Amino acid sequence: MNKVPCKILVVDDEEDILMAGKLLLKQHFETVKTSSDPYKIPGLLQEYGFDVVLLDMNYSTGATSSKEGFHWLKQILQLSPKTTVILMTAYGDIELAVKALKEGASDFVLKPWQNDKLVAILKTACQNRSGVSKRSAEKTEQENTAYHYDGFIGVSPAMQRVYQTLDKVAATDANVLILGENGTGKEVAARALHRKSKRAGSVFEKVDLGAVSETLFESELFGHAKGAFTDAKEERAGRLEAASGGTLFLDEIGNLSPALQAKLLTVLQSRQVIRLGTNKPRPIDIRLVCATNMPLYEMVREGSFRQDLLYRINTVEIHLPPLRERREDIKLLADHFLKVYRQKYGRPQLHLGADTMRRLNEYHWPGNIRELDHAMERAVILCDGNELHPDDFYFAPSENGQQKKQGLESITESDYTLEALEKMMVQKALVKHSGNITHAAKELGITRTALYRRIEKHGL
């Protein structure tokens, strides 16, 4: 396993936590140090110049207020402003997390942590930290190539129009609706808006409305009082309150039922939330960014999406083009992903052949950038030799049913296994709905999560 070149310090008063953290993290990161004494932090920072500090919030016996954690957070940021701090505690809630983010923490972890999630958070922190340290060195290259725009890669006219719109709207507090197919980078656009806005120093709160059940919608977005329902064991702020002062990104807004649309509209109009089980309105100050791959205007005509809610969320619209409409960018993206996975899987000599690049340019990419990313990683893992060939990639049939490469997997009579049939049905559903996970899952009669598992299982 290639370890991430990142220096991490874990500070906690429990030796068991330190031991568990070190055993886990040293498998993934080059340098991992631990300390049970927060007063050693200044000396350790000076000696090692840590990229990331994973900091406990409480050190005194019986302490649960997190005051000590906030004290040391400020100390670290004063001593080493470029160090990323991630706070952890066993006594967390949403309000505490929001306060931590506003005080300068990068993220917030609850103990006991989930190993995969903790590693993912730290890898992201290391990548962001690396990006800060390399920004000056890369600035000239990025300006010369114009390949990168705050998370995007592309020089096509279609993307230039997107960049211009982002620049114009970012500095305002206007509500923005981002439209585009699955995999076109809607969340990347939302985060770019946030980073370029006057709220960049505050929280960016993402809510996937496609993953929030109707029964939990109000509790999740508006919060609840203790005892408001059976499992409400403590008072909690909702996601709207958590985003106050920053940006709220509502992804998959087209999935909301008419009843939930009405509740959301009321809150957006009044800029106040009322937690479940209370009568007290609480003001919120958010910059709203929404996204969907669904045809909202058709849904308005059909009566399945409220016209007044659409007017409320789309002061400005940004349309992200599908990859097939920005073919000038395919090579740039392919080269970028190849570079990433060459490093990740230790294959520095790997390169794309001319025939392969031609095939990538001709393919219709129903899953857009996400599909290209996944296809490149799969090809890097499975290919033999130092050149990627067309047969190292899987190309789904085009909409007219024609195959785009020789050797495209098909079902023969000898392949009538449940495994092969399941894979075929998942492929057909994804192609039919142009990579739209929600629609494909609905047609297959399974949940989005179950579909994601099958996509991973079959390497699609």
Side-chain angles (χ1 to χ4, degrees):
M1 178 185 297
N2 293 326
K3 295 184 179 181
V4 177
C6 188
K7 292 179 284 187
I8 296 175
L9 173 63
V10 184
V11 187
D12 196 291
D13 59 332
E14 296 183 41
E15 291 295 338
D16 289 347
I17 293 291
L18 295 178
M19 179 64 72
K22 188 166 187 177
L23 289 173
L24 169 66
L25 299 179
K26 72 179 184 179
Q27 301 175 55
H28 302 275
F29 303 95
E30 282 189 355
T31 303
V32 180
K33 301 290 182 182
T34 62
S35 176
S36 59
D37 184 358
Y39 288 93
K40 293 182 179 179
I41 289 175
L44 290 168
L45 283 174
Q46 186 174 6
E47 181 178 357
Y48 293 98
F50 290 103
D51 299 305
V52 182
V53 176
L54 187 59
L55 180 70
D56 189 27
M57 297 290 284
N58 298 289
Y59 294 91
S60 302
T61 303
T64 61
S65 68
S66 301
K67 290 181 179 179
E68 294 166 299
F70 284 112
H71 167 76
W72 287 109
L73 169 63
K74 292 178 181 177
Q75 292 293 311
I76 293 169
L77 295 178
Q78 287 176 4
L79 292 167
S80 180
K82 292 184 178 179
T83 296
T84 298
V85 182
I86 297 173
L87 299 178
M88 59 179 177
T89 182
Y91 304 97
D93 58 28
I94 291 177
E95 290 176 346
L96 187 63
V98 172
K99 182 180 178 183
L101 295 170
K102 288 183 177 180
E103 292 289 334
S106 172
D107 214 325
F108 192 86
V109 177
L110 287 178
K111 297 187 291 187
W113 60 64
Q114 298 176 21
N115 287 348
D116 291 345
K117 185 175 182 180
L118 178 62
V119 170
I121 288 172
L122 288 171
K123 282 185 176 180
T124 299
C126 289
Q127 289 168 359
N128 291 342
R129 174 67 177 81
S130 176
V132 170
S133 64
K134 294 178 181 177
R135 191 167 295 149
S136 296
E138 294 177 349
K139 185 176 181 181
T140 302
E141 179 187 352
Q142 290 185 5
E143 286 176 347
N144 290 339
T145 62
Y147 290 174
H148 296 260
Y149 176 94
D150 208 4
F152 285 104
I153 296 174
V155 295
S156 62
M159 289 308 298
Q160 293 298 329
R161 289 191 290 271
V162 171
Y163 303 157
Q164 291 167 8
T165 306
L166 286 170
D167 281 336
K168 289 177 182 178
V169 73
T172 73
D173 262 349
N175 294 338
V176 177
L177 175 62
I178 304 172
L179 300 172
E181 297 176 6
N182 269 343
T184 50
K186 294 187 288 296
E187 184 175 346
V188 174
R191 291 186 181 276
L193 281 169
H194 175 69
R195 285 192 294 269
K196 291 176 176 293
S197 75
K198 60 187 177 182
R199 298 172 180 264
S202 298
V203 63
F204 176 91
E205 186 77 13
K206 175 191 173 183
V207 183
D208 183 352
L209 296 177
V212 178
S213 69
E214 192 148 348
T215 54
L216 294 177
F217 176 84
E218 287 186 80
S219 171
E220 183 73 15
L221 265 72
F222 308 152
H224 61 256
K226 183 178 180 180
F229 50 88
T230 305
D231 293 325
K233 298 179 181 177
E234 58 184 1
E235 186 171 4
R236 289 217 165 197
R239 306 292 283 275
L240 284 151
E241 280 186 76
S244 193
T247 300
L248 177 66
F249 175 46
L250 298 180
D251 198 9
E252 303 284 4
I253 194 166
N255 287 333
L256 283 185
S257 69
L260 298 185
Q261 291 172 31
K263 292 177 180 179
L264 178 61
L265 177 63
T266 299
V267 170
L268 296 179
Q269 288 173 331
S270 67
R271 294 282 162 164
Q272 293 180 328
V273 296
I274 300 176
R275 296 182 183 179
L276 281 177
T278 74
N279 294 314
K280 178 184 176 183
R282 299 170 183 265
I284 55 171
D285 171 25
I286 60 169
R287 198 274 177 82
L288 181 66
V289 180
C290 299
T292 185
N293 56 20
M294 300 177 74
L296 291 188
Y297 290 93
E298 289 182 23
M299 294 171 67
V300 167
R301 288 194 292 271
E302 295 167 356
S304 58
F305 197 87
R306 294 179 64 110
Q307 188 173 52
D308 46 3
L309 178 57
L310 179 59
Y311 289 153
R312 177 66 60 175
I313 65 177
N314 77 334
T315 305
V316 177
E317 286 183 13
I318 297 177
H319 296 258
L320 295 183
L323 195 51
R324 62 184 175 274
E325 294 178 7
R326 42 178 295 211
R327 294 191 180 274
E328 305 97 317
D329 298 332
I330 292 177
K331 186 177 189 313
L332 301 179
L333 288 160
D335 288 341
H336 167 74
F337 291 131
L338 178 58
K339 181 179 178 181
V340 169
Y341 295 121
R342 275 193 310 217
Q343 181 177 352
K344 180 177 180 180
Y345 296 108
R347 305 197 61 180
Q349 305 302 318
L350 204 57
H351 62 278
L352 283 163
D355 287 344
T356 308
M357 194 63 249
R358 184 167 55 253
R359 189 66 62 81
L360 293 178
N361 278 322
E362 293 171 350
Y363 182 53
H364 61 292
W365 297 111
N368 296 295
I369 300 170
R370 186 180 299 135
E371 182 182 1
L372 175 56
D373 182 2
H374 181 79
M376 189 62 69
E377 181 175 18
R378 179 179 181 273
V380 168
I381 293 171
L382 297 179
C383 79
D384 298 317
N386 289 326
E387 181 176 322
L388 288 171
H389 298 283
D391 287 343
D392 293 318
F393 291 83
Y394 166 75
F395 296 102
S398 61
E399 292 182 2
N400 62 12
Q402 297 300 311
Q403 296 180 349
K404 287 289 185 178
K405 83 171 189 111
Q406 291 181 346
L408 176 66
E409 297 174 40
S410 59
I411 300 297
T412 64
E413 197 168 321
S414 60
D415 292 329
Y416 281 162
T417 64
L418 287 176
E419 189 96 355
L421 289 170
E422 179 184 74
K423 181 176 182 179
M424 181 186 69
M425 293 307 298
V426 170
Q427 288 173 345
K428 286 187 174 181
L430 289 171
V431 170
K432 178 179 178 180
H433 295 286
S434 300
N436 186 309
I437 298 295
T438 301
H439 292 174
K442 185 175 181 181
E443 175 157 314
L444 291 168
I446 58 178
T447 65
R448 284 161 51 94
T449 303
L451 179 53
Y452 278 123
R453 285 200 299 267
R454 284 162 175 79
I455 291 172
E456 185 68 26
K457 171 184 174 183
H458 297 298
L460 299 177

